[in-house]
Amino acid sequence: EGDGCPKPQLLTLKALSLVGPGEGVELVTDNPAAVETIPAMMHSVDGEHVGTIQDEQGHWRVYVRRVPGAEQ
């Protein structure tokens, strides 16, 4: 939270690289730009956007997962 671009995107890429194929990552952010760019960048990093929700505090939870069959 509180981080500007590109930090949320970079942290998401790092977390995604640490999980196995089919496993997911949850990103909690208050950065509207990250909510738009993270799903868009998934196709280029063996990832898949699963969903995004906004909680009562105005934070977004962006769920991504590593595509099954992706190289680790």
Side-chain angles (χ1 to χ4, degrees), residues 5-57:
C5 290
K7 191 166 184 183
Q9 292 88 332
L10 295 174
L11 291 173
T12 301
L13 291 176
K14 181 177 181 179
L16 199 61
S17 74
L18 298 174
V19 300
E23 295 183 317
V25 173
E26 175 190 53
L27 168 72
V28 179
T29 185
D30 56 0
N31 184 315
V35 173
E36 293 181 21
T37 58
I38 289 172
M41 72 182 190
M42 286 298 104
H43 71 280
S44 63
V45 294
D46 289 332
E48 175 180 51
H49 176 242
V50 177
T52 301
I53 59 172
Q54 190 172 18
D55 65 23
E56 299 82 29
Q57 292 80 32

